[in-house]
Amino acid sequence: RKEVEQDPGPFNVPEGATVAFNCTYSNSASQSFFWYRQDCRKEPKLLMSVYSSGNEDGRFTAQLNRASQYISLLIRDSKLSDSATYLCVVNVGSSASKIIFGSGTRLSIRP
Amino acid sequence: DAGVTQSPTHLIKTRGQQVTLRCSPKSGHDTVSWYQQALGQGPQFIFQYYEEEERQRGNFPDRFSGHQFPNYSSELNVNALWLGDSALYLCASSLESGGTYEQYFGPGTRLTVT
């Protein structure tokens, strides 16, 4: 079993739709959680950290469920510019020494 | 505020050769991590440097080695290149004392081994 698993997609949704991604992790001692966005042939960019209480940044909402060991990302009112690969990232250490990336979920927004 | 920079942006090498990739961290960051990203995959952790020492290592052979300098910049060296080493090599920096462990990535070096 992979340490961090994501549905690879692709998710193909119309502009304005709401889309949700889930990511599961295997190590119950995981400490920190993040969502990154990666455009084609570009580097990953930090989208948001995921906090225990859940957090929201504009149209983006991240949730953490420690009991079930998954994190989620919700995108509301999707824009064409949201088309990208979304990477789930889990830090399994007590420092930044071991950060595990999922393989990513591809999202394509159509007009 | 300078972000993470990497050089070179692209590189073509022949099987068996050696390569050195370079990374300068984001201003104020002291920790550098290196990742290998194959096409269609998420980045795979190679190793991390902090205080000029390798602190953690992923599942990569000894052909992969690195260094961190006093100014926090870092190098990744790969010896005896294989065709399978062709990938995007990403450097990420973070601040150890920041507590959030958020990493910021450079644009990467695309290595092609022929």
Side-chain angles (χ1 to χ4, degrees):
Chain A
R1 182 185 172 188
K2 289 183 179 179
E3 291 185 87
V4 177
E5 291 202 70
Q6 295 183 251
D7 182 339
F11 284 58
N12 189 324
V13 302
E15 198 173 4
T18 295
V19 60
F21 308 135
N22 279 341
C23 164
T24 58
Y25 60 94
S26 61
N27 191 327
S28 59
S30 298
Q31 302 277 332
S32 312
F33 309 88
F34 310 91
W35 284 102
Y36 279 75
R37 169 200 170 119
Q38 186 171 27
D39 294 290
C40 187
R41 301 184 73 81
K42 298 286 189 180
E43 74 274 20
K45 291 188 187 294
L46 180 64
L47 181 63
M48 52 197 310
S49 303
V50 186
Y51 303 119
S52 297
S53 56
N55 46 302
E56 186 174 309
D57 183 2
R59 297 181 294 108
F60 299 84
T61 300
Q63 296 278 350
L64 166 63
N65 186 319
R66 285 191 183 272
S68 300
Q69 295 184 202
Y70 76 83
I71 66 173
S72 63
L73 177 68
L74 183 77
I75 305 175
R76 290 181 299 279
D77 188 24
S78 54
K79 312 291 185 191
L80 295 176
S81 58
D82 294 333
S83 297
T85 295
Y86 290 82
L87 297 162
C88 168
V89 183
V90 175
N91 179 9
V92 298
S94 57
S95 68
S97 60
K98 194 174 181 190
I99 292 183
I100 309 297
F101 280 75
S103 296
T105 297
R106 283 180 52 204
L107 173 64
S108 178
I109 307 296
R110 63 180 187 270
Chain B
D1 180 19
V4 181
T5 60
Q6 291 186 244
S7 64
T9 54
H10 294 83
L11 203 53
I12 299 175
K13 289 286 189 179
T14 303
R15 192 171 42 184
Q17 286 189 311
Q18 178 265 344
V19 67
T20 297
L21 311 182
R22 295 177 176 83
C23 170
S24 290
K26 179 178 168 66
S27 178
H29 283 184
D30 56 9
T31 304
V32 173
S33 302
W34 286 93
Y35 293 84
Q36 180 194 67
Q37 186 175 25
L39 204 60
Q41 300 296 315
Q44 299 293 309
F45 176 75
I46 302 175
F47 41 53
Q48 184 182 78
Y49 278 84
Y50 173 65
E51 292 188 337
E52 301 180 49
E53 292 193 358
E54 182 183 297
R55 178 162 66 175
Q56 186 83 30
R57 189 177 185 91
N59 189 25
F60 279 80
D62 292 344
R63 300 187 296 110
F64 289 77
S65 63
H67 190 77
Q68 185 179 35
F69 299 94
N71 67 353
Y72 308 118
S73 67
S74 177
E75 288 181 350
L76 163 66
N77 301 292
V78 187
N79 294 323
L81 285 166
W82 295 4
L83 296 179
D85 295 331
S86 295
L88 179 67
Y89 288 84
L90 294 160
C91 165
S93 74
S94 56
L95 179 62
E96 176 65 15
S97 62
T100 63
Y101 313 125
E102 294 173 349
Q103 293 192 321
Y104 294 84
F105 283 83
T109 294
R110 192 164 297 280
L111 173 65
T112 302
V113 183
T114 63

